[in-house]
Amino acid sequence: MATVPSFHLYGEKLDEEPRFWIHCETIKSRSSRHRWEIRLHRHERLFQILYIAAGSCDAIVGDETRVLLPPTILTLPPGVSHGFRFSKDVEGLVITIERSQLGELTRERGRFAQWLSAPQAATLDPEEPDHAYLMDTLQRVAHENWRGDSGDDELLRDYVALAVRLAARTAVGDASAPADGRDERLALLNTLIQQHHREHRPLSFYADQLGVSLTHLNRLVRTATGQTPHDLITAKLLDQSKRELTFSMATTREIAMRLGFDDPAYFSRFFSKHTGETPGAWRRREKARLNAGAEPRLERAANA
C-alpha cells in the first residue's frame, strides 16, 4: 500500500516550515491548480476546517468516503489522511491552524477534547441561528487573516476560538457544554482567565467570581486538570507571551506592558523561569525555526 504523503500545506514540501500560526484560503485557489483534485495526504502539525458554501465534494477521510454538499463544515485533526475531488463551481474556505496555537482549547478535557481529536462533518442550516453565526464567523476569520499586518491578531484569535467552539456544537450537539456543575465552573474559570490574565488578579478574585472558597477552587482545578489555578494563569500568560514574541514586531518592553508587567525585567525573569530562555533568545530561536526554508506566503485570494 502506498505511503500517504505529509505536507504543511498541500503540494508544499514538508521541510518548508510554515510561516504562520493560521492560514486561510479559498477552496478554489488551490484546488483549481490541481484540476480540482486534492490527492490523499495528511498534516502532522495542522488542524483544518473545510467550509463548503457552494458546489460539492467527494471526500476521503481516514477509511471513509463521503459526499459533502453545501453548506457543510468538515474538521480535520493532525495526522488524519484526507483527499478531495471538488466540483468546478465550488465555493468555500480552508482554514489551517498550527496545532500548538489552539492553546487552551486543546488542553481541555471531556467531550470537547474528544471532538478535537477526530474528524467531524456537519451539514449547516442557514436558518438555524448558531449555524448562521458559524458561517459568518468563518468568513470573519478569513477576512481578518487576509488583512495581514493591518489586522488585529487578538481579535483573529477570538474569532478562531469562537469558530472552533461553534463547529464543535454544530457537529455533536454542543460537545463543549458542561457535563455537570464542576465542569461549568471550570469553563467559567477559563473564560475569566482569558478576560483578566493581563490584570494579574489574585486567586481570591477568581474564587469570588465563581462563588467558592480558595480551597474549593484549588481542589476543583486540581481534580479536573492536575494543575493549580495559578498554573492555568501562568500558562495563559506564557502562551500570549510566545505569540507576541513570534508574530509581532513589538519590543520585549512593549510586550511586557501589554501583558500587565510594569517591570520589563520582571517579565524577563518570569519568562526565563518557565521556559529556560530569555524572551529575546526564545524569539530569535523561534523566528529562525519558522524562517528556515519557508516559502513566501501564498497570495491572498482575489475575492478576499
Side-chain angles (χ1 to χ4, degrees):
M1 182 176 180
T3 301
V4 177
S6 294
F7 297 108
H8 287 305
L9 295 174
Y10 182 76
E12 298 180 14
K13 295 178 181 178
L14 190 60
D15 60 358
E16 295 172 351
E17 291 285 342
R19 193 183 299 168
F20 60 80
W21 71 266
I22 182 171
H23 180 275
C24 302
E25 64 184 25
T26 64
I27 295 174
K28 184 178 295 185
S29 65
R30 190 173 297 261
S31 64
S32 62
R33 302 200 305 266
H34 297 276
R35 298 183 179 180
W36 308 101
E37 182 176 3
I38 303 298
R39 297 189 176 184
L40 201 64
H41 67 287
R42 61 187 176 188
H43 310 285
E44 299 301 333
R45 292 170 42 195
L46 303 176
F47 180 90
Q48 288 193 314
I49 301 174
L50 179 76
Y51 167 49
I52 298 177
S56 63
C57 170
D58 295 327
I60 300 175
V61 180
D63 296 327
E64 297 184 12
T65 301
R66 61 185 79 182
V67 177
L68 304 179
L69 300 175
T72 293
I73 184 172
L74 172 68
T75 58
L76 296 160
V80 174
S81 60
H82 55 280
F84 308 107
R85 181 178 290 108
F86 297 103
S87 63
K88 293 183 179 181
D89 60 346
V90 69
E91 299 289 346
L93 297 168
V94 181
I95 298 174
T96 303
I97 306 164
E98 215 280 334
R99 177 177 57 191
S100 65
Q101 296 299 316
L102 287 176
E104 62 272 12
L105 294 178
T106 58
R107 287 199 298 270
E108 293 192 30
R109 298 184 178 184
R111 288 173 290 170
F112 183 61
Q114 293 172 6
W115 176 85
L116 281 171
S117 67
Q120 306 287 346
T123 300
L124 305 177
D125 179 0
E127 299 300 318
E128 173 66 36
D130 273 356
H131 294 195
Y133 196 24
L134 170 58
M135 291 187 283
D136 180 66
T137 302
L138 292 171
Q139 294 287 355
R140 289 175 181 271
V141 167
H143 285 286
E144 193 67 29
N145 180 243
W146 289 333
R147 290 178 65 188
D149 294 338
S150 64
D152 183 335
D153 190 65
E154 191 68 15
L155 178 61
L156 176 58
R157 291 182 183 279
D158 288 342
Y159 281 150
V160 170
L162 178 59
V164 173
R165 283 284 189 177
L166 287 170
R169 172 180 293 184
T170 298
V172 292
D174 199 3
S176 59
D180 54 34
R182 180 187 64 189
D183 289 347
E184 185 175 3
R185 287 192 293 271
L186 188 63
L188 177 56
L189 175 62
N190 284 331
T191 299
L192 289 169
I193 291 173
Q194 172 70 26
Q195 294 172 343
H196 299 288
H197 63 278
R198 292 182 181 84
E199 301 166 16
H200 297 258
R201 300 267 192 167
L203 292 182
S204 58
F205 165 80
Y206 295 98
D208 289 344
Q209 292 295 308
L210 294 174
V212 299
S213 67
L214 273 174
T215 300
H216 190 172
L217 176 63
N218 276 285
R219 186 185 306 117
L220 168 73
V221 174
R222 192 175 291 280
T223 298
T225 68
Q227 298 177 296
T228 67
H230 186 265
D231 291 335
L232 299 184
I233 297 169
T234 297
K236 180 61 183 176
L237 283 167
L238 285 172
D239 278 351
Q240 194 61 40
S241 300
K242 291 175 180 179
R243 290 170 183 170
E244 292 275 358
L245 288 166
T246 303
F247 299 108
S248 81
M249 299 298 292
T251 65
T252 299
R253 174 181 290 274
E254 290 170 336
I255 292 171
M257 296 303 176
R258 288 178 188 176
L259 295 176
F261 292 88
D262 294 331
D263 181 1
Y266 177 65
F267 169 68
S268 183
R269 291 195 298 274
F270 164 83
F271 191 90
S272 299
K273 175 183 177 182
H274 294 285
T275 67
E277 294 180 283
T278 66
W282 192 93
R283 170 180 256 174
R284 288 190 293 273
R285 181 178 59 77
E286 187 65 10
K287 285 187 176 292
R289 182 186 72 81
L290 291 175
N291 290 333
E295 290 292 321
R297 188 172 177 174
L298 291 173
E299 293 184 4
R300 296 184 181 112
N303 61 347

